[in-house]
């Protein structure tokens, strides 16, 4: 079985995003970019399924600028077998990404697509669901455990009340939650080996998909600055202050 793993190049999760002075978006000039953390978890899960003998090939795919090749090389260094970059400088919205992924799915016929539940830059949490709908296949979102069972996959999902397990007929789409696994670091020999793994570069036009954005960003602003706290010496003082402010009667 082939597993397709879409990976997005995003601002590194350790960085505090800076908003552009004109409020048009996040400033990405000279900023460290990395693989979306949920996608690292997806790559790790695909590798574990391959190690267990449930998968035979892992194909990583990214839609983004030429530099997204670095993100794909990271996936290859972790253990993916080959990669596809659909190169574009346009910011691609979830529906366009889902349509491009559907075109790749038609070409590659994977048994499973494992992808992040959300990209930490746009926080959309839409692409996996849209891909499953366009493909007409089942979806197991927010997975905290994945097990292949013949021609089905069992996905344990983190829902409000606890854990829900669903069984989906393959092929299907699985989106990863944080507790699914802890992604491995690529070893130096594997980073070297990844340089010679196949990486195909395509364009959105090759798949006949219109990626023109449909949304207009009106404004991006910094979150309000938190006011400094106040130290109190005793519970009585705290209660007195809360009463004075009308927070408690
Ligand atoms: P989103 O719906 O934007 O929050 O993204 C959910 C998931 O879709 C991500 O974790 C990725 O696995 C995938 N994805 C979104 N955008 C891209 C992209 N440009 N290239 C590859 N995968 C993407």
């Amino acid at each position: 079985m082939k597993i397709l793993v879409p990976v997005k190049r995003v601002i590194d999760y350790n960085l505090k995003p800076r908003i552009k002075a004109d409020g048009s978006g996040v400033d990405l000039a000279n900023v460290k970019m990395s693989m979306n953390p949920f996608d690292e978890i997806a790559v790790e899960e695909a590798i574990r399924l391959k190690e267990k003998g449930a998968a035979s090939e892992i194909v990583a795919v990214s839609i983004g600028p030429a530099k997204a090749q670095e993100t794909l090389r990271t996936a290859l260094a972790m253990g993916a077998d080959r990669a596809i970059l659909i190169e574009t400088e346009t910011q691609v919205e979830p529906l366009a990404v889902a349509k491009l992924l559907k075109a790749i799915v038609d070409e590659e016929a994977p048994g499973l697509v494992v992808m992040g539940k959300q990209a930490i830059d746009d926080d959309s949490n839409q692409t996996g669901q849209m891909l499953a709908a366009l493909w007409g296949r089942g979806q197991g979102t927010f997975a905290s455990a994945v097990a292949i069972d013949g021609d089905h996959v069992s996905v344990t999902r983190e829902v409000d009340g606890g854990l829900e397990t669903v069984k989906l007929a393959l092929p299907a789409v699985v989106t990863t939650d944080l507790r699914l696994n802890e992604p491995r670091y690529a070893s130096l020999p594997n980073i070297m080996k990844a340089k010679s793994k196949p990486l195909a570069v395509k364009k959105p036009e090759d798949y006949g998909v219109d990626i023109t954005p449909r949304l207009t960003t009106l404004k991006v602003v910094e979150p309000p600055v938190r006011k400094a706290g106040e130290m109190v010496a005793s519970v009585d003082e705290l209660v007195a202050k809360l009463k004075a402010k009308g927070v408690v009667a």
Side-chain angles (χ1 to χ4, degrees):
M1 178 176 76
K2 190 190 286 184
I3 303 184
L4 193 74
V5 188
V7 295
K8 187 176 188 188
R9 179 176 186 265
V10 297
I11 182 167
D12 189 271
Y13 76 98
N14 289 301
L15 299 182
K16 185 178 177 296
R18 277 190 324 261
I19 307 296
K20 285 189 205 161
D22 64 1
S24 62
V26 172
D27 189 357
L28 294 178
N30 303 317
V31 167
K32 182 174 181 230
M33 305 290 282
S34 303
M35 188 189 300
N36 180 43
F38 292 105
D39 302 350
E40 282 186 353
I41 295 172
V43 175
E44 175 66 35
E45 196 60 23
I47 298 167
R48 290 187 189 188
L49 289 171
K50 191 177 167 195
E51 285 170 348
K52 279 187 207 152
S56 49
E57 190 187 23
I58 301 167
V59 182
V61 46
S62 194
I63 297 132
K67 285 220 159 146
Q69 288 201 23
E70 291 167 12
T71 314
L72 288 168
R73 289 284 170 213
T74 304
L76 294 170
M78 286 173 74
D81 298 290
R82 61 187 171 88
I84 303 167
L85 170 66
I86 304 182
E87 194 180 319
T88 173
E89 293 300 324
T90 308
Q91 288 244 355
V92 192
E93 290 172 359
L95 180 58
V97 173
K99 286 180 179 171
L100 287 167
L101 293 176
K102 167 66 170 54
I104 301 238
V105 157
D106 288 344
E107 211 171 79
E108 297 281 345
L112 187 65
V113 178
V114 188
M115 55 203 287
K117 73 166 180 182
Q118 82 192 51
I120 61 161
D121 53 357
D122 60 20
D123 279 342
S124 295
N125 179 358
Q126 294 173 352
T127 311
Q129 294 88 330
M130 285 175 169
L131 172 63
L134 292 172
W135 194 10
R137 303 299 311 179
Q139 54 182 290
T141 51
F142 315 130
S144 61
V146 174
I148 304 289
D149 177 8
D151 54 2
H152 285 74
V153 57
S154 290
V155 180
T156 303
R157 312 182 54 239
E158 302 205 355
V159 293
D160 269 358
L163 296 177
E164 175 194 50
T165 302
V166 293
K167 193 171 172 186
L168 315 167
L170 294 172
V173 177
V174 170
T175 72
T176 61
D177 214 327
L178 267 189
R179 277 166 288 274
L180 179 58
N181 62 48
E182 239 181 74
R184 69 195 63 192
Y185 288 105
S187 66
L188 191 57
N190 285 346
I191 293 173
M192 300 311 289
K193 256 196 252 164
K195 291 185 202 273
S196 53
K197 287 187 178 176
L199 193 163
V201 181
K202 306 274 188 175
K203 298 267 176 217
E205 306 84 82
D206 297 338
Y207 299 97
V209 174
D210 177 11
I211 60 162
T212 313
R214 295 164 174 235
L215 304 175
T216 310
T217 301
L218 300 180
K219 195 166 68 164
V220 180
V221 293
E222 299 268 359
V225 182
R226 260 179 86 177
K227 289 200 197 111
E230 198 182 324
M231 295 298 284
V232 289
S234 67
V235 173
D236 287 345
E237 191 189 340
L238 172 66
V239 173
K241 283 196 186 260
L242 290 176
K243 278 188 178 164
K245 288 190 176 172
V247 179
V248 293

